[in-house]
Amino acid sequence: MKTPPIITVFMPAYNAGKYIKESISSILNQTYTHFELLIINDGSTDNTLEIISGFSDQRIRVINNAQNMGLLYTRNLALIEVNTEFIAIMDSDDVAMPERLAIQLKELYDNPNIALIGSQASMIDENGKIIQEKMYPVIDEELLKASIPFYNAFVHSSVMIRSNVLRDLGGYKEDYAEDYDLFLRAATQYRIKNLPDILIHYRNHVSGISKEQVDQMDGNIEKIKAKYLSLLQLPSEKNTRKC
């Protein structure tokens, strides 16, 4: 009898035809092989589904949204579909290093009180060229807890989280900056950590984001920060700047 996997690599995809083949391949080529790759195609209108269908690996499971439902809906749909102990987040334009899953799984097994881990990353451009050798998410755990109320200290595509923790937190709750909101809520209840290893190539193509989207994201980040700081009974950055 085949043993069910304990990791689901979750990849939401919308019009990701330009990059998704490389992203999928980077997961299928992991040194740790006992996982499922859950891809939710969010009503793509390009060749995303065609590219996904070109892979014959039995570890891939595909769900198609009948229409574009948005990232928040799609991320939370994974909570219904996932039956494994761990969820590894993987965006459809990023690239995972071959030992990513093996390193993170060992860390979570060795430290059962850690709920969520991320890693270091390098930044690549739209053509896959490294434009920043190393991004610097905070590694020291005490500094991480102190820093996260003020900025996002995780690379989302590097995160592995215990499935029961994600469910206990109620999944993702905010449009725009939904990852930052999740990490802040996790920090109030659980032990969180960033590993020193570079486990992800994070693709930077901010030029494709409209000014309206940037403004919406910035506004949501400020709202999320203020809500979190109020829970800690600390003044928000906005109020502090007035002092």
Side-chain angles (χ1 to χ4, degrees):
M1 185 176 179
K2 189 175 180 181
T3 305
I6 60 171
I7 300 175
T8 295
V9 181
F10 170 56
M11 182 184 293
Y14 175 66
N15 287 353
K18 187 174 181 180
Y19 305 115
I20 195 169
K21 183 176 181 179
E22 185 178 10
S23 296
I24 292 173
S25 296
S26 75
I27 294 300
L28 298 182
N29 291 327
Q30 291 290 298
T31 58
Y32 178 85
T33 60
H34 195 49
F35 60 84
E36 75 160 348
L37 171 56
L38 173 62
I39 304 173
I40 300 184
N41 174 40
D42 188 23
S44 294
T45 57
D46 68 351
N47 61 342
T48 294
L49 187 56
E50 179 183 346
I51 292 172
I52 296 169
S53 300
F55 289 89
S56 58
D57 198 299
Q58 293 184 350
R59 293 172 296 179
I60 297 176
R61 178 160 63 104
V62 182
I63 295 172
N64 290 297
N65 292 342
Q67 61 187 30
N68 178 241
M69 301 298 295
L71 194 53
L72 187 64
Y73 173 91
T74 301
R75 289 200 190 284
N76 284 326
L77 182 57
L79 283 177
I80 300 170
E81 295 292 336
V82 168
N83 295 309
T84 54
E85 186 176 354
F86 303 102
I87 299 175
I89 305 301
M90 184 67 195
D91 288 343
S92 59
D93 54 355
D94 294 339
V95 181
M97 300 297 97
E99 295 188 344
R100 178 203 167 172
L101 297 182
I103 290 171
Q104 292 187 309
L105 183 62
K106 182 179 186 303
E107 183 72 20
L108 289 172
Y109 268 148
D110 289 349
N111 299 278
N113 61 337
I114 294 178
L116 179 155
I117 55 172
S119 78
Q120 308 300 293
S122 57
M123 187 182 292
I124 57 177
D125 65 14
E126 294 182 357
N127 299 311
K129 180 182 178 181
I130 293 178
I131 55 177
Q132 186 174 331
E133 288 288 343
K134 189 174 184 180
M135 299 169 71
Y136 290 94
V138 179
I139 297 172
D140 180 87
E141 287 190 51
E142 290 189 9
L143 184 57
L144 175 60
K145 282 273 192 178
S147 300
I148 201 166
F150 304 101
Y151 64 91
N152 189 351
F154 287 95
V155 177
H156 193 214
S157 246
S158 77
V159 166
M160 184 181 288
I161 186 170
R162 297 182 190 274
S163 300
N164 65 316
V165 169
L166 187 55
R167 289 191 176 92
D168 287 347
L169 290 170
Y172 294 87
K173 294 185 176 181
E174 295 283 345
D175 276 319
Y176 300 104
E178 73 281 348
D179 54 338
Y180 182 41
D181 175 69
L182 175 69
F183 302 148
L184 279 171
R185 286 185 285 120
T188 64
Q189 301 179 47
Y190 299 101
R191 184 182 169 194
I192 58 175
K193 185 176 182 179
N194 269 318
L195 299 175
D197 313 79
I198 296 177
L199 299 181
I200 285 287
H201 284 330
Y202 168 81
R203 198 177 304 272
N204 178 35
H205 39 86
V206 176
S207 58
I209 301 177
S210 70
K211 183 181 184 303
E212 182 180 353
Q213 288 173 308
V214 170
D215 290 344
Q216 179 70 53
M217 185 178 296
D218 288 345
N220 272 23
I221 287 172
E222 290 305 314
K223 181 180 72 174
I224 290 164
K225 285 180 183 179
K227 180 173 65 176
Y228 180 83
L229 291 169
S230 70
L231 291 174
L232 300 178
Q233 297 183 328
L234 294 172
S236 70
E237 282 188 289
K238 185 177 181 180
N239 290 335
T240 302
R241 285 196 294 267
K242 292 180 179 178
C243 297

